[in-house]
Amino acid sequence: MIGRLLWTQWMDTKTTLLALLLLLFTNQASSISPRQCSDSIQRIWRVTRLTLKESTELIKNYKAAQGALSDVFCKATLQDIPDPTISGLEVSERLESIWDHILAFRPHLRRVYEQQEDLQEPGSPVLVQLVDVDRRSQDLGALVLAFYREVFPNLQELAEGPAVVDPPAQNVFQQKVYGCVVLKTYKAFLTNTARELKVLKGNVCTVRRRFNSLG
């Protein structure tokens, strides 16, 4: 009898906590349906995976085009490159972190392209792929921003990202190191983003589905 009473009280508490969580989420979120939510995240995930695949191929061609010691200097670390880790406790904060990273990496990708223009033949695979990855990054940012606005219309608009300070002048060897570190770190960020999107799809869209089923 006592055990049944405790079980009932525990289930009531669990239901109350779930209701509070759903209320908190839906107060912040828009009326986007679970299907729309899932489709939007799936679209972002596909672009992320495609960009990750292209970045992997780009790094391979980049290292081949830099000559000897490319495997060595690609292991270097530089302080002015964005950290690939996605941060934040709330869903909105983690989406904002993805957005900020995309904006922070794009100037670095463009700078690598500018440097490689002086080192590669026109139309080389490295230059072509750098353009493709940068464009895909722009598409990814647009999708993330659109999803953020759909799910959190009442929150503050996402900022334009942190300012990027150009590093000091670099010689050819330093440019090669810089380019490889940028591409390697960007690839790590894309890997983290793809993993994060799977978690967001399970948390955000599933919560919305549970809430709709209670209505």
Side-chain angles (χ1 to χ4, degrees):
M1 181 68 179
I2 295 177
R4 183 181 303 172
L5 178 61
L6 291 175
W7 171 258
T8 302
Q9 291 176 341
W10 182 82
M11 288 299 293
D12 289 343
T13 301
K14 182 179 179 181
T15 302
T16 301
L17 290 175
L18 177 60
L20 289 173
L21 176 61
L22 293 172
L23 179 62
L24 175 62
F25 179 81
T26 52
N27 279 344
Q28 292 182 341
S30 70
S31 58
I32 180 175
S33 70
R35 178 61 180 271
Q36 290 173 319
C37 177
S38 179
D39 288 348
S40 294
I41 292 185
Q42 185 68 16
R43 194 176 302 114
I44 300 172
W45 182 82
R46 285 198 208 99
V47 174
T48 302
R49 291 291 300 175
L50 179 58
T51 311
L52 177 59
K53 179 181 179 180
E54 292 174 343
S55 296
T56 302
E57 185 67 22
L58 171 57
I59 292 175
K60 183 192 304 182
N61 288 332
Y62 181 93
K63 291 170 68 174
Q66 307 310 311
L69 301 179
S70 60
D71 286 329
V72 176
F73 62 64
C74 280
K75 296 178 182 179
T77 57
L78 299 175
Q79 293 183 347
D80 61 331
I81 308 300
D83 188 297
T85 305
I86 298 169
S87 60
L89 298 177
E90 303 293 335
V91 172
S92 59
E93 293 173 345
R94 300 189 76 77
L95 281 172
E96 184 174 1
S97 179
I98 293 174
W99 165 258
D100 287 341
H101 276 76
I102 293 171
L103 292 184
F105 270 108
R106 290 201 65 208
H108 288 284
L109 292 173
R110 286 194 295 267
R111 191 165 193 269
V112 172
Y113 177 85
E114 292 170 357
Q115 292 177 344
Q116 290 298 307
E117 270 191 310
D118 297 330
L119 301 176
Q120 306 297 327
E121 294 293 330
S124 72
V126 171
L127 294 179
V128 172
Q129 290 174 328
L130 277 168
V131 172
D132 291 341
V133 168
D134 181 61
R135 287 176 178 169
R136 199 78 66 185
S137 176
Q138 186 176 9
D139 294 340
L140 179 59
L143 289 172
V144 171
L145 179 59
F147 181 70
Y148 181 92
R149 287 171 173 170
E150 284 181 334
V151 180
F152 301 104
N154 299 323
L155 295 185
Q156 184 176 354
E157 182 69 40
L158 292 179
E160 287 301 317
V164 177
V165 179
D166 287 338
Q170 300 171 328
N171 59 37
V172 172
F173 178 77
Q174 290 171 327
Q175 290 178 6
K176 291 182 177 183
V177 173
Y178 170 78
C180 200
V181 174
V182 167
L183 298 180
K184 178 185 69 175
T185 311
Y186 186 60
K187 178 187 173 183
F189 158 68
L190 293 171
T191 301
N192 293 339
T193 299
R195 188 182 302 117
E196 184 69 24
L197 290 170
K198 284 190 174 182
V199 175
L200 289 179
K201 182 178 179 180
N203 290 345
V204 179
C205 301
T206 301
V207 167
R208 295 200 63 82
R209 188 175 296 111
R210 289 176 182 173
F211 178 80
N212 285 0
S213 66
L214 293 176

